Amino acid sequence: MTTFEIMKKTHFVVVTIFFLIYLIKTILLLANKKENLLSFSKKIKVLEMIVSFLFLGTGIYLMFDSQITPMLIIKISIVFLSIPLAIVGFKKGNKGLAALSFLLILAAFALGEMNKNKKAVISDKATNADGSINAREIYTSNCVACHGDDGKRGLAGASDLTATQLSNDSIASIVINGRNTMTKISGITPEQASAVAQYVNENIKGK
Ligand code: HEC
């Protein structure tokens, strides 16, 4: 497992715990169980601090390592908007604000899940029925947007792949780690990166 995957799993677990704590608190507030809310908040205080810390920490790590999509920006904005609402809502016992901030967190959580399902481009279609790697499919789904089918599109300064002088290993390393403005292809395995590198050198270079 890569650091990125570990961070992603940790993020999911802490976000789920954070969400459950929040759900219980919101229900207690809405149900007028002030005393229960107070004792629950007290009991959960340390756990909540650890979870919030990990939530933000892993979130920030993932943010710097992900492609910044409009969806991601919306999700992060919603999370940051809900925090002050929740603080004021729970402090003042304002049910409207607490419920609103809960709904916002729920929306951000749902957006995150939706995004996750879309991201599985590499894992499914990149593998043929016989288990071999479909390099052409990896190229089409992950490279064409910037480099074009023929390698010459050059979107946002993308290199002309017909003129590359790089070895398969160097290309694979760029795919895995990124280079300057080319973001890394997250979730790609070393084998898939090698296969797509070979595809570039055999089918695009010099054409
Ligand atoms: C978001 C746009 C984007 C995507 C997607 C992308 N690239 Fe790139 N690629 C770039 C940019 C920009 C550069 C130039 C980077 C630099 O200036 O160092 C580049 C450079 C390269 C180079 C270096 C070529 C050379 O000879 O120096 C290779 C090889 C490459 N990309 C292969 C790929 C492959 C294979 C994929 C798909 C797995 C891919 N790229 C996906 C934008 C992209």
Side-chain angles (χ1 to χ4, degrees):
M1 242 206 275
T2 61
T3 316
F4 186 79
E5 284 165 339
I6 294 170
M7 286 291 187
K8 219 167 167 176
K9 287 236 160 74
T10 313
H11 189 66
F12 180 75
V13 172
V14 291
V15 166
T16 307
I17 299 172
F18 181 86
F19 187 70
L20 288 175
I21 293 175
Y22 213 29
L23 174 68
I24 295 170
K25 278 187 168 186
T26 308
I27 291 173
L28 289 176
L29 182 70
L30 294 184
N32 275 329
K33 305 262 188 222
K34 288 242 165 72
E35 243 127 72
N36 298 12
L37 176 61
L38 218 67
S39 74
F40 177 74
S41 300
K42 242 186 207 151
K43 270 187 213 138
I44 212 89
K45 201 167 184 173
V46 175
L47 176 69
E48 197 177 1
M49 266 163 60
I50 297 171
V51 165
S52 308
F53 176 77
L54 286 174
F55 179 178
L56 288 180
T58 53
I60 289 168
Y61 178 92
L62 291 173
M63 194 170 81
F64 279 111
D65 236 11
S66 306
Q67 260 166 317
I68 307 290
T69 57
M71 192 77 113
L72 186 66
I73 294 171
I74 295 173
K75 184 176 133 183
I76 293 168
S77 310
I78 292 177
V79 170
F80 278 101
L81 181 67
S82 73
I83 293 173
L85 288 181
I87 293 174
V88 176
F90 280 99
K91 204 164 210 166
K92 298 241 156 95
N94 185 319
K95 289 178 189 171
L97 281 184
L100 180 63
S101 79
F102 179 76
L103 288 178
L104 285 175
I105 284 280
L106 181 67
F109 196 62
L111 276 180
E113 287 307 292
M114 271 161 57
N115 238 1
K116 210 160 59 187
N117 294 338
K118 262 211 221 132
K119 271 273 162 73
V121 211
I122 298 242
S123 47
D124 306 344
K125 288 196 258 161
T127 309
N128 294 320
D130 63 1
S132 62
I133 295 172
N134 186 345
R136 162 137 198 97
E137 159 58 30
I138 296 176
Y139 185 81
T140 305
S141 303
N142 302 281
C143 319
V144 164
C146 297
H147 290 286
D149 220 20
D150 57 2
K152 293 186 204 163
R153 181 180 281 173
L155 187 88
S159 311
D160 178 355
L161 296 182
T162 62
T164 187
Q165 300 293 326
L166 300 172
S167 66
N168 288 350
D169 281 353
S170 305
I171 295 179
S173 148
I174 292 175
V175 169
I176 292 171
N177 303 306
R179 196 182 78 188
N180 301 320
T181 43
M182 177 174 152
T183 43
K184 68 178 181 184
I185 310 294
S186 52
I188 198 164
T189 65
E191 294 76 23
Q192 290 169 334
S194 293
V196 77
Q198 195 179 345
Y199 177 84
V200 168
N201 270 334
E202 286 174 6
N203 299 285
I204 294 176
K205 180 182 172 179
K207 301 271 154 92

